[in-house]
Amino acid sequence: MAAELTAHELIARHRPTLDQALEAIRTRAYWSPHPEHPKAYGEHGSLDAAAGKAAFDALLGSRLDLGQPGTDDWVGGEVSPYGIDLGVTYPHADLDVLLPAMRAGQRAWRDAGPEARAVVCLEILKRISDRTHEFAHAVMHTSGQAYMMAFQAGGPHAQDRGLEAVAYAYVEQARTPDTAEWTKPQGKRDPLALTKQFTAVPRGIGLVIGCNTFPTWNGFPGLFASLATGNAVLVKPHPHAVLPLALTVRVAREVLAEAGFDANLVALAAERPGEGIAKTLATRPEIRIIDYTGSTAFGDWLEAHARQAQVYTEKAGVNTVVVESAGDYKGMLSNLAFSLSLYSGQMCTTPQNLLVPRDGIRTDQGHKSFDEFAADLAQAVDGLLGDDARANALLGAIVNPDVKSRLEAAAGLGEVALASREIANPDFPGAVVRTPVIVKLDGAKPDDEAAYMSECFGPVSFLVAVDSAADAVELLRRTVREKGAMTVGAYTTDDEVEQAVQEVCLEEAAQLSLNLTGGVYVNQTAAFSDFHGSGGNPAANAALCDGAFVANRFRVVEVRREA
Amino acid sequence: MAAELTAHELIARHRPTLDQALEAIRTRAYWSPHPEHPKAYGEHGSLDAAAGKAAFDALLGSRLDLGQPGTDDWVGGEVSPYGIDLGVTYPHADLDVLLPAMRAGQRAWRDAGPEARAVVCLEILKRISDRTHEFAHAVMHTSGQAYMMAFQAGGPHAQDRGLEAVAYAYVEQARTPDTAEWTKPQGKRDPLALTKQFTAVPRGIGLVIGCNTFPTWNGFPGLFASLATGNAVLVKPHPHAVLPLALTVRVAREVLAEAGFDANLVALAAERPGEGIAKTLATRPEIRIIDYTGSTAFGDWLEAHARQAQVYTEKAGVNTVVVESAGDYKGMLSNLAFSLSLYSGQMCTTPQNLLVPRDGIRTDQGHKSFDEFAADLAQAVDGLLGDDARANALLGAIVNPDVKSRLEAAAGLGEVALASREIANPDFPGAVVRTPVIVKLDGAKPDDEAAYMSECFGPVSFLVAVDSAADAVELLRRTVREKGAMTVGAYTTDDEVEQAVQEVCLEEAAQLSLNLTGGVYVNQTAAFSDFHGSGGNPAANAALCDGAFVANRFRVVEVRREA
């Protein structure tokens, strides 16, 4: 095959970046090759804001023909949470044609080896990076994230997570050498001598089941981890968030083909409304790896039924913040207010339960009663979202009617500390924009427990009155153990409480942010440094990203012969 | 706690060995710190042959009190395949007492960190190594292996596999630093700065379900992988092979206590005859990791039902050798004869099906017809086992009546190329010793297919006539895909056939030995270099040992705070 892009060329282009990524996951210091600032784009072949917007606009109402074999129909129907009908249609696949076609190129992809696969993945990420503004619009108009967040979380941060997965996949494969000479002494006799070859072989086809809220951020790690370990990858987006992943598949197919590989190593599985092809796909024998982000119910179903596959799930949890005392009360309030508001709380990492002693808390601003804290937090959120333009930029839009219903119902669960209000979006009159509701509950009341011990996804938080710090710690433990948690936060100036919260997080395997008061938030993690989820509590069976996330996506086959 | 053995002391003692092991798994060159020669023992605190025998004899008829909490009974009943009633009794546990007691010491074990855990494991292995002769008798009189094999495979080779698991566990935990300083530039504003701590945390209690034939070799990897990653480990031996693992548990408890840790981090779960506690244990919520070696039926049951645990299984497969042509006909015959005979074929790695073109094979000794090859192989086995003393030393004893029944039934499956015969063991008149049976089958006959496509564990091999090399390759593929394989062998001087066999092994994830004619056999693998199983075909869902075998036995918990 006459590849336009040789492995040699791609290695020269991307090996330095790969090496930096390998160093970053080893030191876990800050690093990213993907600029966060919108104005950083527009040179060296990347699209600036206007060009990205134009590219997105050109997609609206179009047929996104990926050139996939076995396309038997064109399907679509995405409506932006901002009210726009995207009108894009995608290939619908005859699986009995598409899946075999995806396997055809696997041998060459396997034989290319870990380094060539890694740099092809880096080229895909680079081209996605160049189109970050276009992707940002696609993420915004499927997830409901505000533009700046769609740009950053859906762009550089997602690309970072993809690159991180490539780095882990590379290092995991490279730890076994390609060949070894094995010579075992036999005393006076001749030594035994063998030549051994080791090859990383893929499991088969990886299936990525995307989510509505973070199609790229949650989709990239599994996609790149499977691809970099030699598997073909079929991407099954959430039916309301197809476009960002369809664009991803398009770029991947283009790069694969240019590098001399079969474009069908990456394909899209779009579905008709209500078709529910995830279950069908997940149990196909060709599918040997599944990456899933979404509801606990379907995640549990996958773990139980997709027995032929390695299944990596990120499901739901109940995230808790223990508020015991504060050394910087105002910093805490503003930090919490931001975390509760960002993307209308529609993040798997958004705190839901704030556990506060009913006798109040010690702070650098004096003692604050439970009700004072509630009022101050409400005021902080109000202040943050007081300006409509700023509110729109932070909140984005409500992603679906279920979230809106839960938000409306939440006000009836207890005393409302902060009521949700509607915000108009002048650019998108169809957008449903709401500020968070904060509801007071009593940790000791069984009726309240039913509320705070269930995940209430969306802009709903509960201030849960507890008897003491020890009570908070025990409720934290029970919540993580029974419901899982993607994140835990704690505010305390007391060493013993800090130790107790840490111990719960270590024992129940939850990621802990302590006393955040500045510009880092409990609901945000940075690739190459922070783990997203732990894989050790019910919220997720895997973490982004670690050795366990990649090590079982391939196997090593040894061929040995006498030397 | 005033530990007799400090971590510092243990690090000084064992870190050089750990470093050599880390280097060995990286280069996969030959290495072992455990001597294979029986005469290497007897100095530096190790037991020589006589002392080891005396130690074993002293165990017979005794109560092995491990000092475990919750012991509610004493159980035993092992009868050696050599006819000796061992008469050892072991603690039977009240699980509701023992399991909580096993968790009590987990925090200190976790907090000790990966390096301290690794060197404690190495001290356990060192003390086991010192008692290799004693263990050899224990392995011999439970598995039926002949003494020399029990000594080597049950001693240094098993210890190597344990050490290999410790090395993998250490490197996997150490790849994330204990702490990181993360500083993210913010243009003209102050950078964001966080201090992060990372802790490897255990999953809970690991359960090791031992097998009858290789209690230590197959038991050590899971035991040490779980222990080194911070878990407590409960060892549930096969009821006919308790002693080697009970001795292991005794040594582990002794070392843990001396090093200042809770001895209950490792415990034994012996059972009453017919009690079948594996199912009960495997679904206890405290059990979060399971390592199992045994039948496919129970392995599949574990994978389906022990959903709260990470399950690593080594089950059954149908191992195949393709015999297409030979550059060293005599070397091939003697190599195959040894592989079929060793431990009466009672190894998960013993070849079962030899696929031979019905038109015969090209060799350096001229063309050999199918029947000539059958006769020559039969003669090679006969020659190898012609002397009774040598036969006993190679064959060992038949481990249980099921193997004997299968052996007897096999002669009725087709034309017998080599009949099994009885051999007397002058030292152990009660031993059931049998030479292998070799039966000719036709790959094209459906009746024969029922035989060669099922695992027939024991000294039974089938010479399967196939139409061509291509036919052999396709049958190999189908066998591995449908039945799994721990090993594949091939003899060929034809590059195309070699490539085709290799491609099948890469695609179906099977470990391949090519043209072995000397002192290395298809059924043997060496730790630190060869992978045992691939984890990618139905015979086993894990390989010994790789990153995937250890990476999900622990999770990493991050605690971050503003710097």
Side-chain angles (χ1 to χ4, degrees), chain B residues 98-120:
Chain B
L98 180 60
L99 292 177
M102 293 183 71
R103 299 195 64 151
Q106 282 196 308
R107 182 173 174 174
W109 187 235
R110 176 197 78 202
D111 288 346
E115 188 181 32
R117 285 194 293 270
V119 293
V120 168

Side-chain angles (χ1 to χ4, degrees), chain A residues 53-74:
Chain A
K53 175 70 164 62
F56 172 73
D57 287 342
L59 290 165
L60 297 176
S62 75
R63 167 178 291 185
L64 207 73
D65 189 347
L66 300 169
Q68 291 183 184
T71 298
D72 59 13
D73 198 0
W74 297 91

Side-chain angles (χ1 to χ4, degrees), chain B residues 59-65 71-80 84-93 141-142 237-243 246 268-277:
Chain B
L59 290 165
L60 297 177
S62 74
R63 169 178 290 185
L64 207 75
D65 189 347
T71 298
D72 60 12
D73 198 359
W74 298 92
V75 296
E78 290 158 291
V79 178
S80 163
I84 299 170
D85 193 338
L86 301 193
V88 189
T89 55
Y90 307 94
H92 181 276
H141 284 291
T142 48
H238 190 284
H240 297 164
V242 182
L243 187 56
L268 185 78
E271 59 193 316
R272 299 190 184 94
E275 188 180 358
I277 56 169

Side-chain angles (χ1 to χ4, degrees), chain A residues 25-31 36 103 107 110-111 157 167-168 171-172 175-177 179-186 192-194 196-199 201-203 288 300 302-305 307 310 312 335 481 498-499 502-503 505-527 529-536 541-543 546-552 554-562, chain B residues 25-31 36 103 107 110-111 157 167-168 171-172 175-177 179-186 192-194 196-199 201-203 288 300 302-305 307 310 312 335 481 498-499 502-503 505-527 529-536 541-543 546-552 554-562:
Chain A
I25 60 175
R26 204 182 61 70
T27 66
R28 306 198 84 78
Y30 171 77
W31 179 74
E36 268 183 334
R103 301 196 63 151
R107 181 173 176 174
R110 176 197 79 202
D111 289 345
H157 299 171
Y168 269 97
V171 82
E172 193 67 31
R175 67 199 285 186
T176 303
T179 59
E181 297 299 323
W182 182 89
T183 307
K184 180 176 177 178
Q186 297 290 291
L192 300 174
L194 295 177
K196 304 178 180 189
Q197 290 169 280
F198 301 96
T199 307
V201 303
R203 285 199 169 269
R288 304 297 305 279
D300 289 346
L302 287 170
E303 291 173 19
H305 292 88
R307 303 294 312 288
Q310 303 290 315
Y312 304 87
N335 188 283
R481 187 178 289 177
E498 183 177 314
Q499 284 302 316
Q502 275 199 64
E503 185 56 27
C505 289
L506 291 171
E507 289 184 0
E508 305 301 330
Q511 309 297 10
L512 174 62
S513 296
L514 267 171
N515 295 319
L516 296 185
T517 57
V520 176
Y521 305 95
V522 65
N523 51 345
Q524 296 179 323
T525 63
S529 184
D530 294 319
F531 293 103
H532 175 72
S534 78
N541 78 358
D546 62 10
F549 188 69
V550 298
N552 225 345
F554 68 100
R555 302 282 70 214
V556 176
V557 170
E558 175 182 349
V559 179
R560 59 182 190 170
R561 63 194 92 203
E562 285 158 7
Chain B
I25 61 176
R26 205 182 59 72
T27 67
R28 306 199 85 77
Y30 170 77
W31 179 73
E36 267 184 335
R103 299 195 64 151
R107 182 173 174 174
R110 176 197 78 202
D111 288 346
H157 300 172
Y168 268 98
V171 81
E172 193 66 32
R175 67 199 285 187
T176 304
T179 59
E181 296 299 323
W182 181 89
T183 307
K184 179 175 177 179
Q186 297 290 291
L192 300 175
L194 295 177
K196 304 179 179 188
Q197 292 169 280
F198 301 96
T199 307
V201 302
R203 286 199 169 269
R288 303 298 305 280
D300 289 346
L302 286 170
E303 290 173 20
H305 292 89
R307 303 294 312 288
Q310 303 289 317
Y312 304 88
N335 188 282
R481 186 178 291 177
E498 182 177 313
Q499 285 302 316
Q502 275 199 65
E503 185 56 26
C505 289
L506 291 171
E507 289 185 1
E508 305 302 329
Q511 308 299 10
L512 173 63
S513 296
L514 266 171
N515 294 319
L516 296 185
T517 57
V520 175
Y521 304 96
V522 66
N523 50 345
Q524 296 179 324
T525 63
S529 184
D530 293 319
F531 292 103
H532 175 72
S534 78
N541 79 358
D546 62 9
F549 188 69
V550 298
N552 224 345
F554 68 99
R555 302 282 71 216
V556 177
V557 171
E558 175 182 348
V559 178
R560 58 182 190 170
R561 63 195 93 203
E562 285 157 6

Side-chain angles (χ1 to χ4, degrees), chain A residues 379-541:
Chain A
Q379 195 178 27
V381 173
D382 247 354
L384 180 69
L385 304 175
D387 172 69
D388 275 8
R390 189 169 168 192
N392 273 303
L394 266 181
L395 294 168
I398 298 298
V399 67
N400 67 43
D402 289 348
V403 174
K404 185 162 165 274
S405 306
R406 271 196 299 270
L407 168 62
E408 285 160 2
L413 294 170
E415 184 190 334
V416 172
L418 175 68
S420 173
R421 57 191 184 83
E422 230 177 297
I423 299 211
N425 185 319
D427 299 326
F428 299 102
V432 176
V433 185
R434 295 287 187 279
T435 65
V437 66
I438 303 179
V439 178
K440 296 183 195 176
L441 297 175
D442 190 326
K445 287 193 183 155
D447 279 3
D448 288 10
E449 183 174 329
Y452 67 72
M453 284 297 276
S454 306
E455 194 208 22
C456 189
F457 186 79
V460 177
S461 292
F462 301 122
L463 297 188
V464 182
V466 293
D467 293 339
S468 62
D471 192 23
V473 168
E474 274 318 298
L475 181 51
L476 169 65
R477 180 191 299 277
R478 192 155 64 86
T479 306
V480 178
R481 187 178 289 177
E482 294 175 14
K483 299 297 168 182
M486 294 301 293
T487 57
V488 172
Y491 291 90
T492 180
T493 56
D494 183 310
D495 278 352
E496 272 183 43
V497 173
E498 183 177 314
Q499 284 302 316
V501 170
Q502 275 199 64
E503 185 56 27
V504 165
C505 289
L506 291 171
E507 289 184 0
E508 305 301 330
Q511 309 297 10
L512 174 62
S513 296
L514 267 171
N515 295 319
L516 296 185
T517 57
V520 176
Y521 305 95
V522 65
N523 51 345
Q524 296 179 323
T525 63
F528 310 109
S529 184
D530 294 319
F531 293 103
H532 175 72
S534 78
N537 72 57
N541 78 358

Side-chain angles (χ1 to χ4, degrees), chain A residues 84-103:
Chain A
I84 298 170
D85 193 338
L86 301 193
V88 189
T89 56
Y90 308 94
H92 181 277
D94 176 345
L95 297 177
D96 294 325
V97 177
L98 181 60
L99 292 177
M102 292 182 72
R103 301 196 63 151

Side-chain angles (χ1 to χ4, degrees), chain B residues 213-236:
Chain B
T213 47
F214 288 90
T216 55
W217 199 98
N218 277 100
F220 284 3
L223 192 168
F224 284 101
S226 283
L227 191 60
T229 48
N231 302 278
V233 180
L234 182 60
V235 179
K236 205 299 287 176

